[in-house]
Amino acid sequence: MLTSSRLFRRFVGLLALMLSASSFAVAAFDQDKNASPDFAALVKSAEAAREGNNFAEAIRDYRGALKLQPDWQEGLWYVGTLEYERDHYAEAIPAFQRLTQLAPEAGPAWNFLGLCEYETKD
């Protein structure tokens, strides 16, 4: 059962996710123009898995795509938020740290990083 503070943190995280999705889509478009077929296939598979609520498979495919394009901001965003959604806060932290390095103006990524660090007592 979710406590009121945990429910509030979940709400804040989901709100940040909704508000920021469009900003990462623009960055993703620029990188996808030069994507390899392997990268494109992994992205397509990850998106389908995410939309089907198969978070473990989505994370695996996003991580695979990130091995091919480590600075892919949308992929970092989804790895972080999907790990956060599964309550795997320690696993989400590296994605949000990298994303805040690449896009220091991305406030929602900072918010999620802070929430994850709070949950891990870091």
Coordinates of all heavy atoms in Angstrom, one line a residue, residues 33-116:
K33 N 17.8 10.4 -37.3 CA 18.1 10.6 -38.7 C 19.4 9.8 -39.2 O 19.5 9.4 -40.3 CB 18.3 12.1 -39.1 CG 17.0 12.8 -39.0 CD 17.1 14.2 -39.6 CE 18.0 15.0 -38.7 NZ 18.0 16.5 -39.0
N34 N 20.3 9.7 -38.2 CA 21.6 9.0 -38.6 C 21.7 7.6 -37.9 O 22.8 7.1 -37.8 CB 22.8 9.9 -38.1 CG 22.8 11.3 -38.8 OD1 22.5 11.3 -40.0 ND2 23.0 12.3 -38.0
A35 N 20.6 7.1 -37.5 CA 20.6 5.9 -36.8 C 20.9 4.7 -37.6 O 20.5 4.6 -38.8 CB 19.2 5.6 -36.1
S36 N 21.6 3.7 -37.1 CA 21.9 2.4 -37.8 C 20.6 1.6 -37.7 O 19.7 1.8 -36.9 CB 23.0 1.7 -37.1 OG 22.5 1.2 -35.8
P37 N 20.5 0.6 -38.6 CA 19.3 -0.3 -38.6 C 19.2 -1.0 -37.3 O 18.1 -1.2 -36.8 CB 19.6 -1.3 -39.8 CG 20.6 -0.5 -40.6 CD 21.4 0.3 -39.8
D38 N 20.3 -1.4 -36.7 CA 20.2 -2.1 -35.4 C 19.6 -1.2 -34.3 O 18.8 -1.6 -33.5 CB 21.6 -2.6 -34.9 CG 22.2 -3.7 -35.8 OD1 21.4 -4.4 -36.5 OD2 23.4 -3.8 -35.8
F39 N 20.1 0.1 -34.3 CA 19.6 1.1 -33.4 C 18.1 1.3 -33.6 O 17.3 1.2 -32.6 CB 20.3 2.4 -33.5 CG 19.8 3.5 -32.6 CD1 20.2 3.6 -31.3 CD2 18.9 4.4 -33.1 CE1 19.7 4.6 -30.5 CE2 18.4 5.4 -32.3 CZ 18.8 5.5 -31.0
A40 N 17.7 1.5 -34.8 CA 16.3 1.7 -35.1 C 15.4 0.5 -34.7 O 14.3 0.7 -34.2 CB 16.1 2.0 -36.6
A41 N 15.9 -0.7 -34.9 CA 15.1 -1.9 -34.5 C 15.0 -2.0 -33.0 O 13.9 -2.4 -32.5 CB 15.8 -3.2 -35.1
L42 N 16.1 -1.7 -32.3 CA 16.0 -1.7 -30.8 C 15.0 -0.7 -30.3 O 14.3 -0.9 -29.4 CB 17.4 -1.5 -30.2 CG 18.3 -2.7 -30.3 CD1 19.8 -2.3 -29.9 CD2 17.8 -3.8 -29.3
V43 N 15.1 0.5 -30.9 CA 14.2 1.6 -30.5 C 12.7 1.2 -30.7 O 11.8 1.3 -29.8 CB 14.5 2.9 -31.2 CG1 13.4 3.9 -30.9 CG2 15.8 3.4 -30.8
K44 N 12.4 0.6 -31.9 CA 11.1 0.2 -32.2 C 10.6 -0.9 -31.2 O 9.5 -0.9 -30.7 CB 11.0 -0.3 -33.6 CG 9.6 -0.7 -34.1 CD 9.6 -1.0 -35.6 CE 8.2 -1.3 -36.0 NZ 8.2 -1.7 -37.5
S45 N 11.5 -1.8 -30.9 CA 11.1 -2.9 -30.0 C 10.9 -2.4 -28.6 O 10.0 -2.8 -27.9 CB 12.3 -4.0 -30.0 OG 12.0 -4.9 -29.1
A46 N 11.8 -1.4 -28.2 CA 11.6 -0.8 -26.8 C 10.3 -0.1 -26.7 O 9.6 -0.2 -25.7 CB 12.8 0.1 -26.6
E47 N 10.0 0.7 -27.7 CA 8.7 1.4 -27.7 C 7.5 0.5 -27.6 O 6.6 0.8 -26.9 CB 8.6 2.4 -28.9 CG 9.6 3.5 -28.9 CD 9.7 4.3 -30.2 OE1 9.1 3.9 -31.2 OE2 10.3 5.4 -30.1
A48 N 7.5 -0.6 -28.4 CA 6.4 -1.5 -28.4 C 6.3 -2.2 -27.0 O 5.2 -2.3 -26.5 CB 6.6 -2.5 -29.5
A49 N 7.4 -2.5 -26.4 CA 7.4 -3.2 -25.1 C 6.9 -2.2 -24.1 O 6.1 -2.5 -23.2 CB 8.8 -3.7 -24.8
R50 N 7.4 -0.9 -24.1 CA 7.0 0.1 -23.2 C 5.5 0.3 -23.3 O 4.8 0.3 -22.3 CB 7.7 1.4 -23.4 CG 7.4 2.5 -22.4 CD 8.0 3.8 -22.7 NE 7.2 4.5 -23.7 CZ 7.6 4.9 -24.9 NH1 8.8 4.7 -25.3 NH2 6.7 5.5 -25.7
E51 N 5.0 0.4 -24.5 CA 3.5 0.7 -24.7 C 2.7 -0.5 -24.3 O 1.5 -0.4 -23.9 CB 3.3 1.0 -26.2 CG 3.8 2.4 -26.5 CD 3.8 2.7 -28.0 OE1 3.3 1.9 -28.8 OE2 4.3 3.8 -28.4
G52 N 3.3 -1.7 -24.3 CA 2.6 -2.9 -23.8 C 2.8 -3.2 -22.4 O 2.5 -4.3 -21.9
N53 N 3.4 -2.2 -21.6 CA 3.7 -2.3 -20.2 C 4.7 -3.5 -19.9 O 4.6 -4.0 -18.8 CB 2.4 -2.5 -19.4 CG 1.6 -1.2 -19.4 OD1 2.2 -0.1 -19.4 ND2 0.3 -1.3 -19.5
N54 N 5.5 -3.9 -20.8 CA 6.5 -4.9 -20.5 C 7.8 -4.1 -20.3 O 8.7 -4.0 -21.1 CB 6.7 -5.8 -21.7 CG 7.6 -7.0 -21.4 OD1 8.4 -6.9 -20.5 ND2 7.6 -8.0 -22.3
F55 N 7.9 -3.6 -19.0 CA 9.0 -2.7 -18.7 C 10.4 -3.4 -18.7 O 11.3 -2.7 -19.2 CB 8.8 -2.0 -17.4 CG 7.6 -1.1 -17.3 CD1 7.1 -0.7 -16.1 CD2 7.0 -0.7 -18.5 CE1 6.0 0.2 -16.1 CE2 5.9 0.2 -18.5 CZ 5.4 0.6 -17.3
A56 N 10.5 -4.6 -18.3 CA 11.8 -5.3 -18.3 C 12.3 -5.4 -19.7 O 13.5 -5.1 -20.0 CB 11.6 -6.6 -17.7
E57 N 11.5 -5.8 -20.7 CA 11.9 -5.9 -22.1 C 12.2 -4.5 -22.6 O 13.2 -4.3 -23.4 CB 10.8 -6.6 -22.9 CG 11.2 -6.8 -24.3 CD 10.1 -7.5 -25.1 OE1 9.4 -8.3 -24.6 OE2 10.1 -7.2 -26.4
A58 N 11.4 -3.5 -22.3 CA 11.7 -2.2 -22.8 C 13.0 -1.6 -22.3 O 13.8 -1.1 -23.1 CB 10.5 -1.2 -22.4
I59 N 13.3 -1.8 -21.1 CA 14.6 -1.4 -20.5 C 15.7 -2.1 -21.2 O 16.7 -1.4 -21.5 CB 14.6 -1.6 -19.0 CG1 13.6 -0.6 -18.3 CG2 16.0 -1.4 -18.4 CD1 13.3 -0.9 -16.8
R60 N 15.6 -3.4 -21.4 CA 16.7 -4.1 -22.0 C 16.9 -3.6 -23.4 O 18.1 -3.3 -23.8 CB 16.3 -5.6 -22.1 CG 17.4 -6.5 -22.7 CD 16.8 -7.8 -23.3 NE 15.9 -7.6 -24.4 CZ 14.8 -8.3 -24.6 NH1 14.5 -9.2 -23.8 NH2 14.1 -8.0 -25.7
D61 N 15.9 -3.3 -24.2 CA 16.1 -2.8 -25.5 C 16.6 -1.3 -25.5 O 17.4 -1.0 -26.4 CB 14.8 -2.9 -26.3 CG 14.5 -4.4 -26.6 OD1 15.4 -5.2 -26.5 OD2 13.3 -4.6 -27.0
Y62 N 16.1 -0.5 -24.6 CA 16.6 0.9 -24.5 C 18.1 0.8 -24.2 O 18.9 1.6 -24.7 CB 15.8 1.7 -23.5 CG 14.5 2.2 -24.0 CD1 13.3 1.9 -23.4 CD2 14.5 3.1 -25.1 CE1 12.1 2.4 -23.8 CE2 13.3 3.6 -25.6 CZ 12.1 3.2 -24.9 OH 10.9 3.7 -25.4
R63 N 18.5 0.0 -23.2 CA 19.9 -0.1 -22.9 C 20.7 -0.6 -24.1 O 21.9 -0.1 -24.3 CB 20.1 -1.1 -21.7 CG 19.6 -0.5 -20.4 CD 20.0 -1.3 -19.2 NE 19.4 -0.9 -17.9 CZ 19.8 0.1 -17.2 NH1 20.8 0.8 -17.5 NH2 19.1 0.4 -16.1
G64 N 20.2 -1.5 -24.8 CA 20.9 -2.0 -26.1 C 21.1 -0.8 -27.0 O 22.2 -0.7 -27.6
A65 N 20.0 0.0 -27.2 CA 20.2 1.1 -28.1 C 21.2 2.1 -27.6 O 21.9 2.7 -28.3 CB 18.8 1.8 -28.3
L66 N 21.2 2.3 -26.3 CA 22.1 3.2 -25.7 C 23.6 2.8 -25.8 O 24.5 3.6 -25.8 CB 21.8 3.5 -24.2 CG 20.6 4.4 -24.0 CD1 20.0 4.3 -22.6 CD2 21.0 5.8 -24.3
K67 N 23.8 1.5 -25.9 CA 25.2 1.0 -26.2 C 25.6 1.5 -27.6 O 26.8 1.7 -27.8 CB 25.2 -0.5 -26.1 CG 25.2 -1.0 -24.7 CD 25.3 -2.5 -24.6 CE 25.2 -3.0 -23.2 NZ 25.1 -4.5 -23.1
L68 N 24.7 1.6 -28.5 CA 25.0 2.1 -29.8 C 25.1 3.6 -29.9 O 25.9 4.1 -30.7 CB 24.0 1.5 -30.9 CG 23.9 0.0 -31.0 CD1 22.7 -0.4 -31.8 CD2 25.2 -0.6 -31.5
Q69 N 24.3 4.3 -29.1 CA 24.3 5.7 -29.1 C 24.1 6.2 -27.6 O 23.1 6.5 -27.1 CB 23.1 6.3 -29.9 CG 23.2 6.1 -31.4 CD 22.2 6.9 -32.2 OE1 21.6 7.9 -31.7 NE2 22.0 6.5 -33.4
P70 N 25.3 6.2 -26.9 CA 25.3 6.5 -25.5 C 24.7 7.9 -25.1 O 24.3 8.1 -24.0 CB 26.8 6.4 -25.1 CG 27.4 5.7 -26.2 CD 26.6 6.0 -27.5
D71 N 24.7 8.8 -26.0 CA 24.2 10.2 -25.7 C 22.7 10.4 -26.1 O 22.2 11.5 -26.2 CB 25.0 11.2 -26.4 CG 26.4 11.3 -25.8 OD1 26.6 10.8 -24.7 OD2 27.3 11.8 -26.5
W72 N 22.0 9.3 -26.4 CA 20.6 9.4 -26.8 C 19.7 9.7 -25.6 O 19.5 8.9 -24.8 CB 20.2 8.0 -27.5 CG 18.8 8.0 -27.9 CD1 18.1 8.9 -28.7 CD2 17.9 6.9 -27.7 NE1 16.8 8.5 -28.9 CE2 16.7 7.2 -28.4 CE3 18.0 5.7 -27.1 CZ2 15.6 6.4 -28.4 CZ3 16.9 4.8 -27.1 CH2 15.7 5.2 -27.7
Q73 N 19.3 11.0 -25.6 CA 18.6 11.5 -24.4 C 17.3 10.8 -24.2 O 16.9 10.5 -23.0 CB 18.4 13.0 -24.6 CG 19.8 13.7 -24.5 CD 19.6 15.2 -24.7 OE1 18.6 15.8 -24.5 NE2 20.7 15.9 -25.0
E74 N 16.5 10.6 -25.2 CA 15.2 9.9 -25.0 C 15.4 8.5 -24.4 O 14.6 8.1 -23.5 CB 14.5 9.8 -26.3 CG 13.1 9.3 -26.2 CD 12.3 9.1 -27.5 OE1 13.0 9.1 -28.6 OE2 11.1 9.0 -27.5
G75 N 16.4 7.8 -24.8 CA 16.6 6.5 -24.3 C 17.0 6.6 -22.8 O 16.5 5.8 -22.0
L76 N 17.9 7.5 -22.5 CA 18.2 7.7 -21.1 C 17.0 8.0 -20.2 O 16.8 7.5 -19.1 CB 19.3 8.8 -20.9 CG 20.6 8.5 -21.5 CD1 21.5 9.7 -21.6 CD2 21.3 7.4 -20.6
W77 N 16.1 8.9 -20.8 CA 14.9 9.3 -20.1 C 14.0 8.1 -19.8 O 13.6 7.9 -18.7 CB 14.2 10.3 -20.9 CG 12.8 10.6 -20.4 CD1 11.6 10.2 -20.9 CD2 12.5 11.4 -19.2 NE1 10.6 10.7 -20.1 CE2 11.1 11.5 -19.1 CE3 13.3 12.1 -18.3 CZ2 10.5 12.2 -18.0 CZ3 12.7 12.8 -17.3 CH2 11.3 12.8 -17.1
Y78 N 13.8 7.2 -20.8 CA 13.0 6.1 -20.6 C 13.6 5.0 -19.7 O 12.9 4.4 -18.9 CB 12.5 5.5 -22.0 CG 11.4 6.3 -22.6 CD1 11.6 6.8 -23.9 CD2 10.2 6.5 -21.9 CE1 10.6 7.6 -24.5 CE2 9.2 7.2 -22.5 CZ 9.4 7.8 -23.8 OH 8.4 8.5 -24.3
V79 N 14.9 4.8 -19.8 CA 15.5 3.9 -18.9 C 15.3 4.4 -17.4 O 14.9 3.6 -16.6 CB 17.0 3.7 -19.2 CG1 17.7 3.0 -18.0 CG2 17.2 2.9 -20.4
G80 N 15.5 5.6 -17.2 CA 15.4 6.2 -15.9 C 14.0 6.1 -15.4 O 13.7 5.7 -14.3
T81 N 13.0 6.6 -16.2 CA 11.6 6.6 -15.7 C 11.0 5.2 -15.6 O 10.2 5.0 -14.7 CB 10.7 7.5 -16.7 OG1 10.8 7.0 -18.0 CG2 11.1 8.9 -16.6
L82 N 11.4 4.3 -16.5 CA 10.9 2.9 -16.3 C 11.5 2.3 -15.1 O 10.7 1.5 -14.4 CB 11.2 2.1 -17.6 CG 10.4 2.5 -18.8 CD1 10.9 1.8 -20.1 CD2 8.9 2.3 -18.6
E83 N 12.7 2.5 -14.8 CA 13.3 1.9 -13.6 C 12.7 2.6 -12.4 O 12.4 1.9 -11.4 CB 14.8 2.1 -13.6 CG 15.6 1.3 -14.6 CD 15.7 -0.2 -14.3 OE1 14.9 -0.7 -13.5 OE2 16.6 -0.8 -14.9
Y84 N 12.4 3.8 -12.4 CA 11.7 4.5 -11.3 C 10.3 3.9 -11.1 O 9.9 3.7 -10.0 CB 11.6 6.0 -11.7 CG 10.9 6.8 -10.6 CD1 11.6 7.3 -9.5 CD2 9.5 7.0 -10.7 CE1 10.9 8.1 -8.5 CE2 8.8 7.7 -9.7 CZ 9.5 8.2 -8.6 OH 8.9 8.9 -7.7
E85 N 9.6 3.7 -12.2 CA 8.3 3.2 -12.1 C 8.3 1.8 -11.5 O 7.3 1.4 -10.8 CB 7.6 3.1 -13.5 CG 6.2 2.6 -13.5 CD 5.3 3.6 -12.8 OE1 5.5 4.8 -12.7 OE2 4.2 3.1 -12.3
R86 N 9.4 1.0 -11.7 CA 9.5 -0.3 -11.1 C 10.1 -0.3 -9.7 O 10.4 -1.3 -9.1 CB 10.4 -1.2 -12.0 CG 9.7 -1.5 -13.3 CD 10.5 -2.3 -14.3 NE 11.9 -2.6 -13.9 CZ 12.5 -3.8 -14.2 NH1 11.9 -4.7 -14.9 NH2 13.8 -4.0 -13.9
D87 N 10.3 0.9 -9.1 CA 10.9 1.1 -7.8 C 12.3 0.7 -7.8 O 12.8 0.3 -6.7 CB 10.1 0.4 -6.7 CG 8.7 1.0 -6.6 OD1 8.4 2.2 -6.9 OD2 7.8 0.2 -6.1
H88 N 13.0 0.7 -8.9 CA 14.4 0.3 -9.0 C 15.2 1.7 -9.0 O 15.8 2.0 -10.1 CB 14.7 -0.5 -10.2 CG 14.1 -1.8 -10.2 ND1 14.1 -2.7 -11.3 CD2 13.4 -2.5 -9.2 CE1 13.5 -3.8 -11.0 NE2 13.0 -3.7 -9.7
Y89 N 15.2 2.3 -7.9 CA 15.8 3.7 -7.9 C 17.3 3.7 -8.1 O 17.8 4.6 -8.9 CB 15.4 4.3 -6.5 CG 14.0 4.3 -6.2 CD1 13.5 3.5 -5.2 CD2 13.0 5.0 -7.0 CE1 12.1 3.4 -4.9 CE2 11.7 4.9 -6.7 CZ 11.2 4.1 -5.7 OH 9.9 4.1 -5.5
A90 N 18.0 2.8 -7.5 CA 19.5 2.8 -7.8 C 19.8 2.5 -9.2 O 20.8 3.1 -9.7 CB 20.1 1.7 -6.9
E91 N 19.0 1.7 -9.9 CA 19.3 1.5 -11.3 C 18.9 2.7 -12.2 O 19.4 2.8 -13.3 CB 18.5 0.2 -11.8 CG 18.9 -1.1 -11.2 CD 18.3 -1.4 -9.8 OE1 17.7 -0.5 -9.2 OE2 18.6 -2.5 -9.3
A92 N 18.0 3.5 -11.7 CA 17.6 4.7 -12.5 C 18.6 5.8 -12.4 O 18.7 6.6 -13.3 CB 16.2 5.2 -12.0
I93 N 19.3 5.9 -11.3 CA 20.2 7.0 -11.0 C 21.2 7.3 -12.1 O 21.4 8.4 -12.6 CB 20.8 6.9 -9.6 CG1 19.8 7.2 -8.6 CG2 22.0 7.8 -9.5 CD1 20.3 6.9 -7.1
P94 N 21.9 6.2 -12.6 CA 22.9 6.5 -13.7 C 22.3 7.1 -14.9 O 23.0 8.0 -15.6 CB 23.6 5.1 -13.9 CG 23.3 4.3 -12.7 CD 22.0 4.8 -12.2
A95 N 21.1 6.7 -15.3 CA 20.5 7.2 -16.5 C 20.2 8.7 -16.3 O 20.4 9.5 -17.2 CB 19.2 6.5 -16.8
F96 N 19.6 9.1 -15.1 CA 19.3 10.5 -14.9 C 20.6 11.3 -14.7 O 20.6 12.5 -15.1 CB 18.4 10.6 -13.6 CG 17.0 10.1 -13.9 CD1 16.4 9.2 -13.1 CD2 16.3 10.5 -15.0 CE1 15.1 8.7 -13.3 CE2 15.0 10.1 -15.2 CZ 14.4 9.2 -14.4
Q97 N 21.6 10.7 -14.1 CA 22.9 11.5 -14.0 C 23.4 11.8 -15.4 O 23.8 12.9 -15.6 CB 23.9 10.7 -13.2 CG 23.6 10.6 -11.7 CD 24.6 9.7 -10.9 OE1 25.1 8.7 -11.5 NE2 24.8 10.1 -9.7
R98 N 23.4 10.8 -16.2 CA 24.0 11.1 -17.6 C 23.1 12.1 -18.3 O 23.6 13.0 -19.0 CB 24.0 9.7 -18.4 CG 24.6 9.9 -19.8 CD 26.0 10.2 -19.8 NE 26.5 10.3 -21.1 CZ 27.3 11.3 -21.6 NH1 27.7 12.2 -20.7 NH2 27.6 11.3 -22.8
L99 N 21.8 11.9 -18.2 CA 20.9 12.8 -18.9 C 21.0 14.3 -18.4 O 21.0 15.2 -19.2 CB 19.4 12.4 -18.7 CG 18.3 13.2 -19.4 CD1 18.6 13.3 -20.9 CD2 17.0 12.5 -19.1
T100 N 21.2 14.5 -17.1 CA 21.4 15.8 -16.6 C 22.8 16.4 -17.0 O 22.9 17.6 -17.1 CB 21.3 15.9 -15.0 OG1 22.2 15.0 -14.4 CG2 19.9 15.6 -14.6
Q101 N 23.7 15.5 -17.3 CA 25.0 16.0 -17.8 C 24.8 16.5 -19.3 O 25.4 17.5 -19.7 CB 26.1 14.9 -17.8 CG 26.6 14.6 -16.4 CD 27.5 13.3 -16.5 OE1 27.6 12.6 -17.5 NE2 28.1 13.1 -15.3
L102 N 24.1 15.7 -20.0 CA 23.8 16.1 -21.4 C 22.9 17.2 -21.6 O 23.0 18.0 -22.6 CB 23.3 14.8 -22.2 CG 24.2 13.7 -22.4 CD1 23.5 12.5 -22.9 CD2 25.4 14.0 -23.3
A103 N 21.9 17.3 -20.7 CA 20.9 18.4 -20.9 C 20.6 19.0 -19.5 O 19.6 18.7 -18.8 CB 19.6 17.8 -21.4
P104 N 21.5 19.9 -19.1 CA 21.4 20.4 -17.7 C 20.2 21.3 -17.5 O 19.7 21.5 -16.4 CB 22.7 21.3 -17.5 CG 23.3 21.3 -18.9 CD 22.8 20.3 -19.7
E105 N 19.5 21.7 -18.6 CA 18.3 22.5 -18.5 C 17.1 21.6 -18.4 O 16.0 22.1 -18.2 CB 18.2 23.3 -19.8 CG 17.8 22.6 -21.0 CD 18.9 21.8 -21.7 OE1 20.1 21.9 -21.3 OE2 18.6 21.0 -22.6
A106 N 17.2 20.3 -18.4 CA 16.1 19.4 -18.3 C 15.7 19.2 -16.8 O 16.1 18.3 -16.2 CB 16.5 18.0 -18.9
G107 N 14.8 20.1 -16.4 CA 14.3 20.1 -15.0 C 13.7 18.8 -14.6 O 14.0 18.3 -13.5
P108 N 12.9 18.1 -15.4 CA 12.3 16.9 -14.9 C 13.3 15.8 -14.7 O 13.1 15.0 -13.7 CB 11.3 16.5 -16.1 CG 11.0 17.8 -16.7 CD 12.2 18.6 -16.6
A109 N 14.4 15.8 -15.4 CA 15.4 14.8 -15.2 C 16.1 15.0 -13.8 O 16.4 14.1 -13.0 CB 16.5 14.8 -16.3
W110 N 16.3 16.3 -13.5 CA 16.8 16.6 -12.1 C 15.9 16.2 -11.0 O 16.3 15.7 -10.0 CB 17.1 18.1 -12.0 CG 18.3 18.6 -12.8 CD1 18.4 19.2 -14.0 CD2 19.7 18.4 -12.4 NE1 19.6 19.5 -14.4 CE2 20.5 19.0 -13.4 CE3 20.3 17.8 -11.3 CZ2 21.9 19.0 -13.4 CZ3 21.7 17.8 -11.3 CH2 22.5 18.4 -12.3
N111 N 14.5 16.4 -11.3 CA 13.5 16.0 -10.3 C 13.6 14.5 -10.0 O 13.6 14.1 -8.9 CB 12.1 16.4 -10.8 CG 11.9 17.9 -10.8 OD1 12.6 18.7 -10.1 ND2 11.0 18.4 -11.6
F112 N 13.6 13.8 -11.1 CA 13.6 12.3 -11.0 C 14.9 11.9 -10.3 O 14.9 11.0 -9.5 CB 13.5 11.6 -12.3 CG 12.0 11.3 -12.7 CD1 11.4 12.1 -13.6 CD2 11.3 10.3 -12.0 CE1 10.1 11.8 -14.0 CE2 10.0 10.0 -12.4 CZ 9.4 10.8 -13.3
L113 N 16.0 12.5 -10.7 CA 17.3 12.1 -10.0 C 17.2 12.4 -8.5 O 17.6 11.5 -7.7 CB 18.4 13.0 -10.6 CG 19.8 12.8 -10.0 CD1 20.3 11.3 -10.1 CD2 20.8 13.7 -10.7
G114 N 16.7 13.5 -8.1 CA 16.5 13.8 -6.7 C 15.6 12.8 -6.0 O 15.8 12.4 -4.9
L115 N 14.5 12.5 -6.6 CA 13.5 11.5 -6.1 C 14.2 10.1 -5.9 O 14.1 9.5 -4.8 CB 12.3 11.3 -6.9 CG 11.3 12.5 -6.9 CD1 10.3 12.4 -8.0 CD2 10.7 12.7 -5.6
C116 N 15.0 9.7 -6.9 CA 15.7 8.4 -6.8 C 16.8 8.5 -5.7 O 16.9 7.5 -4.9 CB 16.4 8.1 -8.1 SG 15.2 7.7 -9.4

